[in-house]
Amino acid sequence: MNRQGKTEEANARIRLIVAMTIFGTIGIFVKHIPLPSSIIALARGIIGIGFLLIFTKIKKIKISFSEIKNNFPILSLSGMLIGIHWIFLFEAYHHTTVAVATLCYYLAPVFIIIASPFVLKEKLSLKKIICVTVALIGMIFVSGIFKEGGTENLQIKGILFGVGAAIIYATVILLNKHLKNISSYGMTIMQIGIAAVILLPYTAVTQNFGNLSFDFLTIVLLLIVGILNTGITYSLYFSSIKELKAQTIAIFSYIDPIVAIFLSTFLLKEKPDIYTVIGGILILGATFVSELQKD
């Protein structure tokens, strides 16, 4: 690789590190938004898609409508699931700690491994079976069942929403593997746009907008989640992954949960106990090994 190539790769690494760091902060902001999860998800979709459309226009990034048309059924389904995924994730943040919600959410690679023999016709190796088993044991530790008091410690709603978010996100990833000849920006704009379109009628039916209070801080936090955590972060993410190896992307993806857990501990004072720490190590360690080691 020549000097220019090395410089481009280094810049891509920096963009990816920044993107994954910002991804890890979303739980902190959501925790402080006193609104229903569907409202937060809808705002994220509308603000995020608005930013991405402006960004691609300024950067003169062309979006092929023929590519979108050819992939529209999968884009529609995955976009709808992304909207539901956001609601589940934000509900998890509201019903348990950011650390526990993040660790539950990070089971998504485990569910992909479990589904891959059936959906992608991939062989389920012994290594992957061990990694899945270790990650699920980690989930048991995170659940709180081993703490003094047993089932009384279970934050069942938060855990279920977090695991639900992981299953839905895993489904989106598997669906995206069936997309053909479409740019990353075209895919993202359509999926976020469809998520917003789906969330709008759902939110209108389930929420009474007249009873909602949007103070200055709430509006600022919604703008941060929509612009920073969605528009800017996705732009950085997709502009970087085109220039990096899959293994590098997999390694840097672990910045997200580490940042989330660190911030929840020091900013929200949600100090994880020894069981959460053990569970987190098992979950993140197992998914890390399953993604990086070759069979």
Side-chain angles (χ1 to χ4, degrees), residues 276-294:
T276 303
V277 172
I278 293 172
I281 292 171
L282 292 175
I283 292 171
L284 297 181
T287 55
F288 181 83
V289 172
S290 69
E291 289 179 17
L292 296 184
Q293 288 192 0
K294 293 183 179 179

Side-chain angles (χ1 to χ4, degrees), residues 71 73-79 81-82 112 119-120 168-184 187-188 190-191 234 237-238:
N71 292 280
I74 295 176
L75 287 172
S76 299
L77 180 56
S78 58
L81 289 174
I82 285 173
I112 293 172
V119 179
L120 303 177
I168 295 168
Y169 189 61
T171 305
V172 171
I173 292 174
L174 291 171
L175 283 171
N176 283 353
K177 287 182 178 292
H178 292 86
L179 293 172
K180 296 179 180 178
N181 301 318
I182 185 170
S183 69
S184 55
M187 175 189 72
T188 306
M190 280 301 298
Q191 288 178 333
Y234 277 114
Y237 180 76
F238 285 120

